[in-house]
Amino acid sequence: MARTPSNMLPLGTKAPDFSLLDTVSDNTLNLKDIKGEKGTVIMFICNHCPFVIHVNSELVTIANEYETKGISFIAISSNDAENYPQDGPDKMKAHAKTEGYSFPYLYDETQEVAKAYDAACTPDLYLFDTHLKLVYRGQLDDSRPGNDLPLTGKDLRQALDFLIDSKENMATQKPSIGCNIKWKVTS
C-alpha cells in the first residue's frame, strides 16, 4: 500500500464552502448548515483504503463523544468512483450504515472540494473552529495498519480538547498518512 502524507494546509485557513450530496440522507448539504457550534471536523475518507478501515472504529467513537460537545463531523469521499466503484455513492451509503456513522458521508463527485482543501490522502483530517478557521490538520494518532501501535485518536482528541477549552494547541501537528485520493484522469 502506498503511503501518501497529507499536505498540511496552513493553520488559520478558512474552510472552503461546499454543497455536496449526503449519501446517507440523499440530501444536498452545505457546510454552513452542518458546521458545529464549537468546531467542525472534516474528514476525507473512502470505503476501501486500508488506512481508513484501520481507523474507522475510532473515528466513530470520537464523533459520538464530541458531537455532544458542539463539534460537527463531516466525512467526504472524493475518489474517482468510475475507476473505484467500491467508493461510489451507493456503496458509501451501505458502508456508513455498516460502520455506524453518526455523521454525513458526502460524495465529492467533481473532486473540487478535495482540491479546495488541498486533500491528498485518506484519511485526511481537518479541524476548524466556530468561525471555520483551521486549527488542526493531520493524523488521528500514530497507529497505522501493521505497526501494532494502539488506536487512540490522541492527536485529534487533543486538538478537539484544546478547541473546546479555548486553549491554543502548541503540540506538533504530524501529517496524516494514507492512500492517495484516487484522482480522475483528465485528458
Side-chain angles (χ1 to χ4, degrees), residues 18 31 34-35 40-43 72-76 103-104 106:
F18 56 76
L31 174 60
I34 56 176
K35 75 179 195 81
T40 304
V41 175
I42 296 179
M43 310 172 282
S72 177
F73 287 74
I74 303 165
I76 301 173
F103 43 82
L106 309 179

Side-chain angles (χ1 to χ4, degrees), residues 74-115:
I74 303 165
I76 301 173
S77 178
S78 299
N79 278 357
D80 174 6
E82 188 174 314
N83 289 308
Y84 297 87
Q86 65 271 43
D87 291 331
D90 56 331
K91 301 278 197 292
M92 290 170 61
K93 183 175 197 162
H95 184 78
K97 288 182 180 182
T98 299
E99 293 296 327
Y101 290 177
S102 58
F103 43 82
Y105 192 12
L106 309 179
Y107 180 50
D108 178 21
E109 182 176 13
T110 67
Q111 301 184 316
E112 292 303 315
V113 175
K115 290 173 185 170

Side-chain angles (χ1 to χ4, degrees), residues 151-185:
L151 191 59
T152 63
K154 73 174 180 62
D155 292 48
L156 181 59
R157 285 175 183 278
Q158 181 180 46
L160 286 162
D161 291 339
F162 277 123
L163 178 63
I164 290 167
D165 294 339
S166 300
K167 295 180 181 174
E168 187 175 356
N169 184 357
M170 299 302 292
T172 300
Q173 297 187 18
K174 299 176 188 175
S176 186
I177 301 287
C179 298
N180 65 302
I181 290 179
K182 307 308 182 212
W183 299 106
K184 294 179 180 181
V185 178

Side-chain angles (χ1 to χ4, degrees), residues 42-148:
I42 296 179
M43 310 172 282
F44 287 87
I45 64 172
C46 68
N47 293 349
H48 83 278
C49 170
F51 292 91
V52 175
I53 292 167
H54 179 72
V55 301
N56 256 327
S57 63
E58 189 62 19
L59 291 175
V60 169
T61 298
I62 291 172
N64 288 338
E65 180 180 339
Y66 284 89
E67 283 172 333
T68 63
K69 298 176 182 182
I71 304 294
S72 177
F73 287 74
I74 303 165
I76 301 173
S77 178
S78 299
N79 278 357
D80 174 6
E82 188 174 314
N83 289 308
Y84 297 87
Q86 65 271 43
D87 291 331
D90 56 331
K91 301 278 197 292
M92 290 170 61
K93 183 175 197 162
H95 184 78
K97 288 182 180 182
T98 299
E99 293 296 327
Y101 290 177
S102 58
F103 43 82
Y105 192 12
L106 309 179
Y107 180 50
D108 178 21
E109 182 176 13
T110 67
Q111 301 184 316
E112 292 303 315
V113 175
K115 290 173 185 170
Y117 281 79
D118 201 19
C121 61
T122 55
D124 216 344
L125 308 174
Y126 302 83
L127 172 60
F128 295 91
D129 67 13
T130 189
H131 304 291
L132 293 174
K133 297 281 187 177
L134 186 66
V135 296
Y136 178 81
R137 75 286 192 244
Q139 68 177 12
L140 181 67
D141 59 30
D142 291 318
S143 183
R144 305 287 185 270
N147 75 359
D148 296 326

